[in-house]
Amino acid sequence: MGGEFLEFLKFTFGGGTDFNTALRAGLKSMKNEKAFEGADLLFLTDGYSELSERPLIREWNEIKAERKARIFSLIIGNYDAGGLQQISDHTYLIGNAENWDVAESPASFVKAISKPYRF
């Protein structure tokens, strides 16, 4: 699965990112869907945005605790998480997506995602 994940990370999807809008939509789904109890969410981005809405940050952290959910943020091609570390259980930065060296390998990120939630 690790190889497939690395291949997926090479794709470019285009478009822009607005963290506040994306997280607001995710929060709505999380609150309205009981199936998301204990969910692991992956926020995959180039990091060129900014999480800036304090009430949204507070609400995300509350719903994560209530639903026993986790958020993992993977930022590719940037050395700034744009504030995602405020809601993420683990934030991983890959500054140079063209030439990964051992230190930039997403292996530690994949390992963090694979750990079960501790109640």
Side-chain angles (χ1 to χ4, degrees), residues 28-92:
K28 181 179 176 184
S29 295
M30 185 70 100
K31 290 167 91 175
N32 294 332
E33 296 290 333
K34 188 67 174 165
F36 287 126
E37 182 82 27
D40 288 336
L41 306 165
L42 175 60
F43 203 95
L44 181 63
T45 179
D46 60 12
Y48 290 103
S49 186
E50 187 69 33
L51 178 57
S52 58
E53 295 181 16
R54 294 281 170 226
L56 180 63
I57 295 166
R58 187 172 39 257
E59 195 171 1
W60 251 115
N61 286 321
E62 289 170 2
I63 198 77
K64 278 178 32 184
E66 177 186 313
R67 293 291 181 108
K68 298 175 179 69
R70 298 182 298 176
I71 296 178
F72 298 93
S73 294
L74 178 58
I75 294 87
I76 301 172
N78 196 344
Y79 289 99
D80 183 3
L84 288 173
Q85 68 277 9
Q86 298 173 82
I87 57 146
S88 299
D89 295 283
H90 187 80
T91 304
Y92 192 82

Side-chain angles (χ1 to χ4, degrees), residues 3-21:
E4 292 171 3
F5 182 63
L6 290 174
E7 286 302 313
F8 170 77
L9 294 177
K10 293 179 183 177
F11 288 107
T12 301
F13 297 98
T17 302
D18 176 4
F19 293 165
N20 297 302
T21 300

Side-chain angles (χ1 to χ4, degrees), residues 89-118:
D89 295 283
H90 187 80
T91 304
Y92 192 82
L93 303 165
I94 299 175
N96 181 356
E98 296 295 321
N99 272 326
W100 287 339
D101 61 19
V102 173
E104 289 186 314
S105 166
S108 65
F109 185 78
V110 173
K111 185 176 179 180
I113 291 173
S114 67
K115 289 182 182 176
Y117 183 85
R118 304 270 184 223

